[in-house]
Amino acid sequence: MNITINPNLTAPPGTLAIRLLHQRLPRVCVAVTGTDAAEMVEKAEALIHDNPFIEFRLDYLSHPALALPKIKRLTEYHPHATVIATCRRVASDGKFRGSIASQLEILAKASAAGCQLLDIELQSALRCNPQHLQKLRSKAGLILSYHDFRSTKNLHETLQKMLAIPADFYKIASTATTLTDNVAVMKFLEENSGKHSLIGLCMGEQGIISRVLGVRAGSLFTFAAVAPDEKTAPGQITAQELRNIYRIEQVDAATRVYGVAGDPVAHSLSPAIMNVALRRENVNGVYVALHAKTLKDLLTCIREIPIHGVSVTMPYKQAIVSHLDNTDSQTAKIGACNTMVRGQDGKLYGFNTDGVGVIRPLEQRITLEDAKILVLGAGGAARAAVFGLKERGAEVYILNRSAIAAQKLARQARARTIKRPDLKKLSFDVIINATPVGMANPRESPLNADEIKAKYVFEMIYDPPQTQLATLAKERGVEVISGIEMLVHQAARQFEIWTGKPAPVDDMLRVASVALQQRLANKNGNRPARK
Ligand code: NAP
């Protein structure tokens, strides 16, 4: 959807240049910082070709004025770029320690250096002589900004207060403490962006939806970081992620919203995997991380945004079931739902694709009918595996720390239980680890080496990518199937349920592996992960 800019009441007569600027603003403005002026401008120089809209956070510099001659050279060399100068004061949660007068002086010089837009926060603006502000505004477009680093509240009242000060853009960045806060900001944008030139978003990890969807609600643009470790606001994502993963330039009113919901959810690989699938199959959809602290918050967000499909993760897999209008037989048997779809009738339908995540990788290797399979664990993932395998005619044995849970599952699924001492007497086609043993402590294994008598070990854990169980299995010549395959195949089935299209599994698998390696490299301080 193209955003139409109303020649609004808040723009002064004669600022044609600003109105023209409105119309060519890209959706993503990259906030650039630096330890000194040279580093800041070099960074901008490196990214300006792909990101023609940047914000210089001058307040990050101990001597902001020193950057201005370099900025002047940059703006002269890149006349098509749009540049915001921001020198936010400490009192408004910026880093500039100078007076308001010095702040205005730096902004005036930034405008002379070619910055077409100047950001000044409401707190400073309220204490300024209005004539000084107007003088600034006669040379550049003024963004009047307000940041609430604690909550999302009083959006309309805040805007009314801001409108008393003439400006070209009004920016409100609040903090999302719930997913529903994003809904509040997006409704606010929908109601007011026809009358005023607004930039609106929620900060914080729970505000990511607003950073991706705010532009279609009426925010003229959104802010992005240069790199994950260079965020200028909590929850900010990188320009590369906004463009390449979330395809922000294509998000429009018809874009369907999907997401992975849980608590925590920040490190989920699903946004990378699912957005690639949506792009490959030309589905007008975007998939975001939904950090839901409560189920109620998640359900409100699903209804209000609305969200078309959700990958449900811990801790809501069981609790969501009673809120669904209908479920498939797998969800009913397992007692947990990992996939929700919102029907055209607005009803919520639940599926469980975890079983498919186990079955498909195995069927690529063996015939499941009469295959002898040992499942370690009797929790949610084990239940999905056991029911799925039994449906395919496999002979399933369950071994669990708590014997009662194993017996209960065996009874329900018509499988068998096995005692650990008997393991040495038996061999299996597949051993599946559906316990978290080996995840937190990479030296722990649910089985000893001499208990691994199988053709395949299916290790559901994918982080770390090499568990002790996998190492022991490989040493015995047993082929290991990685949990990443389960992750991708259960996601592929979700994709099929949501879109009716076959999932591009190979692409999803490749992206998942790369994203996992990247995550490990980040964990190890950008050193390549140890093999
Ligand atoms: P869950 O519902 O909490 O079940 C955990 C199971 O592991 C229970 O049977 C529990 O036994 C057992 N267990 C826990 N700690 C143990 C220990 N220290 N020693 C022995 N057994 C222990 O968890 P879940 O959702 O089924 O997940 C299980 C594993 O599968 C996790 O590692 C998860 O990351 C992985 N998983 C992977 C994927 C994927 O896509 N690759 C998908 C889902 C799950 P008790 O009954 O005795 O408590």
Side-chain angles (χ1 to χ4, degrees), residues 275-445:
N275 282 308
V276 154
L278 292 167
R279 187 170 63 212
R280 285 283 182 281
E281 294 305 312
N282 285 319
V283 178
N284 185 3
V286 65
Y287 185 100
V288 291
L290 303 163
H291 184 176
K293 295 257 177 77
T294 64
L295 185 57
K296 184 169 175 269
D297 184 31
L298 174 62
L299 292 168
T300 307
C301 189
I302 289 170
R303 292 208 177 84
E304 297 277 326
I305 283 191
I307 296 181
H308 188 71
V310 178
S311 310
V312 186
T313 64
M314 298 311 286
Y316 303 121
K317 281 182 164 187
Q318 284 91 19
I320 200 167
V321 175
S322 60
H323 297 270
L324 301 170
D325 294 293
N326 209 344
T327 62
D328 70 343
S329 63
Q330 292 299 313
T331 302
K333 278 187 203 164
I334 299 163
C337 159
N338 80 332
T339 310
M340 189 230 74
V341 60
R342 194 176 186 278
Q344 283 188 337
D345 51 7
K347 290 187 174 168
L348 305 183
Y349 298 91
F351 297 82
N352 196 310
T353 68
D354 279 336
V356 173
V358 176
I359 299 300
R360 285 189 182 170
L362 286 177
E363 281 183 336
Q364 287 172 353
R365 294 164 167 100
I366 58 169
T367 303
L368 284 175
E369 187 155 9
D370 296 328
K372 211 163 148 187
I373 300 184
L374 171 66
V375 177
L376 307 174
R383 290 179 70 81
V386 170
F387 283 111
L389 291 165
K390 282 299 293 180
E391 270 180 18
R392 295 292 195 283
E395 193 183 330
V396 180
Y397 295 78
I398 303 164
L399 173 63
N400 188 48
R401 178 176 62 181
S402 121
I404 292 176
Q407 284 155 7
K408 186 177 167 203
L409 173 56
R411 226 179 9 257
Q412 289 172 336
R414 295 175 193 277
R416 300 177 191 190
T417 56
I418 184 170
K419 294 200 174 75
R420 190 155 176 180
D422 295 334
L423 277 185
K424 287 184 191 147
K425 291 182 243 158
L426 290 172
S427 64
F428 299 92
D429 291 299
V430 186
I431 297 175
I432 301 176
N433 180 27
T435 77
V437 180
M439 194 153 68
N441 181 352
R443 281 191 294 274
E444 257 180 14
S445 166

Side-chain angles (χ1 to χ4, degrees), residues 107-252:
L107 291 178
K109 286 182 178 163
S111 138
C115 298
Q116 302 95 324
L117 298 170
L118 307 174
D119 178 301
I120 188 156
E121 61 276 13
L122 179 64
Q123 293 91 325
S124 286
L126 283 172
R127 293 173 58 197
C128 280
N129 179 333
Q131 283 171 346
H132 292 164
L133 279 185
Q134 282 317 300
K135 198 167 161 209
L136 268 190
R137 198 178 169 214
S138 65
K139 303 270 168 39
L142 198 66
I143 303 175
L144 187 66
S145 64
Y146 177 77
H147 298 78
D148 180 341
F149 286 90
R150 275 179 290 281
S151 59
T152 294
K153 61 175 193 295
N154 305 334
L155 297 170
H156 293 272
E157 293 80 350
T158 304
L159 179 63
Q160 287 314 311
K161 208 161 146 189
M162 294 172 86
L163 290 174
I165 299 173
D168 301 284
F169 301 87
Y170 293 88
K171 171 190 171 189
I172 299 185
S174 61
T175 295
T177 57
T178 62
L179 292 174
T180 311
D181 283 340
N182 292 275
V183 177
V185 165
M186 287 192 269
K187 282 195 174 158
F188 165 78
L189 287 168
E190 278 163 12
E191 285 165 22
N192 293 286
S193 60
K195 294 175 277 192
H196 311 288
S197 296
L198 298 181
I199 301 123
L201 56 91
C202 287
M203 298 181 285
E205 197 213 324
Q206 285 165 293
I208 288 177
I209 329 174
S210 75
R211 292 184 182 273
V212 177
L213 302 180
V215 286
R216 78 169 185 182
S219 180
L220 282 170
F221 56 89
T222 194
F223 288 87
V226 176
D229 56 352
E230 294 190 38
K231 296 175 183 173
T232 58
Q236 203 174 56
I237 42 189
T238 66
Q240 203 195 7
E241 284 173 299
L242 274 178
R243 293 216 185 82
N244 298 350
I245 297 183
Y246 299 107
R247 291 182 294 158
I248 191 167
E249 309 289 354
Q250 278 95 52
V251 167
D252 61 22

Side-chain angles (χ1 to χ4, degrees), residues 36-37 40-41 56-71 86-88 95-98 102-103 106-107 109-110:
D36 58 35
M40 182 184 263
V41 179
F56 278 118
R57 284 297 302 262
L58 297 170
D59 51 316
Y60 276 63
L61 304 175
S62 42
H63 301 289
L66 294 184
L68 299 171
K70 295 180 197 303
I71 291 177
T86 299
C87 194
R88 193 161 299 139
K95 294 184 187 291
F96 183 62
R97 298 195 171 276
S102 347
Q103 181 185 23
I106 288 167
L107 291 178
K109 286 182 178 163

